[in-house]
Amino acid sequence: DDEAPLRSMRIALEAVVSADDQDLLRRWITVIPATPHLVQSVLGGIQLKMQPLMAAFLAERLRTEPDSFEPIVLAAAVGGVIQAAQTRWFLQGGDIVALINEGLEVLERGIGTVPPSSA
């Protein structure tokens, strides 16, 4: 109860992604762009199934309603992190769990309010 919501999400995703068959995931990612109708189905599935689950998880951690805007926005951001990590992993290799963790750390730090000074 006392840990940050995105930290909880990171722990949950680490458990789920660590259990995934990485070879199967790589084959599945290869099939998606090669099969145009799958692209829309997969992206739609992510939006309609995965994002609401993550939003509900985050809403519980934030102690707010699942349809509140904040957990929905955070779930969409986490989905973007997962997509970016999968893309990098697919193209460059590495450890997908570490990439997702790294991406969520970036999200936790946030964009900030002060732009970097120009050199």
Side-chain angles (χ1 to χ4, degrees), residues 33-111:
T35 315
H37 72 276
L38 277 180
V39 173
Q40 189 172 20
S41 296
V42 169
L43 293 178
I46 289 169
Q47 289 296 107
L48 296 175
K49 293 178 185 171
M50 199 166 109
Q51 188 171 325
L53 288 173
M54 290 190 298
F57 177 88
L58 290 165
E60 181 179 322
R61 302 292 299 134
L62 292 165
R63 295 180 178 91
T64 187
E65 295 299 315
D67 62 346
S68 297
F69 194 52
E70 185 178 15
I72 291 169
V73 168
L74 289 172
V78 169
V81 166
I82 294 168
Q83 185 178 22
Q86 285 178 334
T87 300
R88 183 170 182 130
W89 168 79
F90 182 74
L91 296 174
Q92 298 179 5
D95 181 347
I96 184 105
V97 174
L99 289 168
I100 291 172
N101 278 331
E102 183 181 340
L104 289 174
E105 287 173 8
V106 169
L107 189 59
E108 284 180 276
R109 282 194 307 270
I111 295 172

